[in-house]
Amino acid sequence: MKLTRRDTMAIGGAAALTTILPSLSSAATPVNELVMGVTGGADAASTGISLTAPEIAENGNTVPISIDAPGAVAITVMAAGNPRPGVATFNFGAGSASQSATTRIRLAGTQDVVAVAEMADGSFASAHQTVKVTIGGCGG
Amino acid sequence: MRRFCASIIGRKLMKFKKLITVVVGALAIPFAAIAGEDSQLTVEGQLMVTSVAAPAHMENVDEIFSGWVFRKDETQALQMDDFDNPAFIFIDKAIDTFSKVEGTAGKACVSCHESPEVFKGLRASMPRVNSSGELETIPELVNGCRTERMGAEKWKWSGGSMAGIVGLIGLQSRGMPVNVNIDGAASSTWDKGKELYYTRVGQLNMSCANCHEDNYGNMIRADHLSMGQINGFPTYRLKNAKLNTIHGRFKGCMKNIRATPYKEGSDEFKALELYVASRSNGLTIETPSVRN
Amino acid sequence: MAAVAAKKGRKVMAKGVKARVKVPKTADVGEIVTLKTLISHKMESGLRKDSDGNKIPQSIINRFTCAFNGNTVIDVKMAAAISTNPYFAFDAVVPEAGEFHFTWYDDDGSIYEEKKSVKIA
């Protein structure tokens, strides 16, 4: 079949495209640094907090996430590759039945979402997960 | 879900792909890896029909699928609960608007229409030809009321107020099968809509069919191409976090292929709306749906 | 099936901001309930530019709180990375009959509120 110039350019362009937005690694804050920022330098246990986020986000504008850390006083959520890493800090009061919450966040590109829980006894726990953020169809 | 995969793969193997569609096909990712495992959409306890035999007028497709089917698990889940569905914040606003007095006649929608529930069934058969022989759409009915009976100003076709009210009216038909008439007085407009659907336009020289008939189920970059059904419109798109209207989406799609879009409310878009709606005859109205 | 989302006395907020909260009408003493909240708000991040190239200033809801009979359930400090139309779901205990009080604080100084009573079953 005859290849038109448009076809060749289109195929070449498509091949060059990555379907997944690469992580903004030069701009991303290291996960460790973000965790230390919350703990003030103290170590954070890797158990005791769970972070639920999609492996691939349908759209970076609205990404559903959940965090759960039984016994936590507060949970801080950060996005390592966003222009500003801070996402939210959840403070749990006496009226809460669990130290968990679900929300929807914006992610600028593929990156690590980080959650750090401050426990009632002053110790910390952290979890993180890479969320792939994709380029959409024709118009993004 | 397996049945769905088999039908897609079978259809693809049999069909010869035009070269221009290789651009999209080259990035094809196995459908099963992306699709949600629950193939059933229930909303507030009601089961929606998200796949059904294609209407007789569709020659190239055996089965039609709602856009819901093509979205990731998390997005699908958002539509299954009326609280988690972010569209409802705009429905709530529309309920307020329904009772808001506007215009020189000192009336609100509720002055003549007892409650939004009186519109049950309307959305399922729109657009339709009226007694004057013209094809009418819901926004035109709304603006007709506003200008002629309320003495109020027209709303923009895809502005927040109109999208909300059209969503509220559409919600009253949720769960009912799409049943758009394409015969009789509607048939010449329907033919025009069909021609528009299959005509290539724009710098990328693509027609609606190139993506939504030839390549549904494939990936366009990392987006999962749907059949372009409108049974869930107005829809809450994650991309812009608001209700999107049918003509608004048509306009966006045309811009995406670098064509000069027809105007919202134009004869072209109205004819296209009729044709595209008829491609979903048999699916249930899902308004307000949640999409990418 | 209720085809119309019932209007439960929600106020229309400033700037067309509208809140929705899901709270059970009744609960047993000590029951754990899941509360869901949604509010329509653009959450203008402060990173976007207008068509002239000027930065659109940040304008977000920066804090959300929920209290029951005056006791804090949750207090969320929010940044611009929370999506447009902020959504939160969380669990609360219902120790007695009373009222959930939800508050959203806007950068512009506006405060949006919703109250929902819970009876003991």
Side-chain angles (χ1 to χ4, degrees), chain C residues 34-64:
Chain C
T34 301
L35 306 179
K36 296 184 180 184
T37 70
L38 184 62
I39 188 165
S40 70
H41 194 283
K42 256 185 127 192
M43 296 294 282
E44 190 62 67
S45 67
L47 298 170
R48 293 200 312 155
K49 292 200 171 111
D50 63 22
S51 45
D52 297 324
N54 304 312
K55 266 212 172 141
I56 304 171
Q58 173 176 308
S59 181
I60 65 168
I61 291 180
N62 58 54
R63 186 175 169 215
F64 165 73

Side-chain angles (χ1 to χ4, degrees), chain B residues 171 208 290:
Chain B
L171 171 60
C208 314
V290 181

Side-chain angles (χ1 to χ4, degrees), chain C residues 98-113:
Chain C
E99 193 178 67
F100 280 106
H101 190 185
F102 305 90
T103 317
W104 293 263
Y105 299 83
D106 197 317
D107 273 351
D108 72 3
S110 307
I111 298 176
Y112 314 111
E113 293 174 275

Side-chain angles (χ1 to χ4, degrees), chain B residues 214-260:
Chain B
D214 299 339
N215 282 291
Y216 69 86
N218 285 340
M219 304 297 289
I220 183 156
R221 290 200 258 185
D223 207 354
H224 202 183
L225 259 183
S226 71
M227 290 191 78
Q229 301 287 13
I230 56 176
N231 59 307
F233 273 72
T235 181
Y236 185 90
R237 289 191 70 191
L238 299 181
K239 180 187 143 121
N240 57 23
K242 62 175 191 176
L243 281 183
N244 289 252
T245 61
I246 294 169
H247 289 202
R249 192 67 201 105
F250 285 168
K251 186 172 153 190
C253 270
M254 287 188 78
K255 279 178 164 184
N256 288 163
I257 54 163
R258 303 192 193 160
T260 307

Side-chain angles (χ1 to χ4, degrees), chain C residues 2-3 7 9-10 17 20-21 27-28 32 34 54 56 68 70 75 80 82 85 95-97 102 108 115-116 119-120:
Chain C
K7 183 183 167 172
R10 271 175 216 110
V17 171
R20 271 189 120 213
V21 299
D28 296 320
I32 295 172
T34 301
N54 304 312
I56 304 171
F68 184 76
D75 188 334
I82 296 290
N85 306 329
E96 63 209 1
F102 305 90
D108 72 3
K115 293 187 173 114
K116 279 284 187 293
K119 291 191 177 65
I120 295 299

Side-chain angles (χ1 to χ4, degrees), chain A residues 32-45 116-117 122-126:
Chain A
N32 219 15
E33 201 177 297
L34 289 174
V35 175
M36 292 293 135
V38 178
T39 68
D43 283 333
V116 180
S123 67
F124 294 93
S126 81

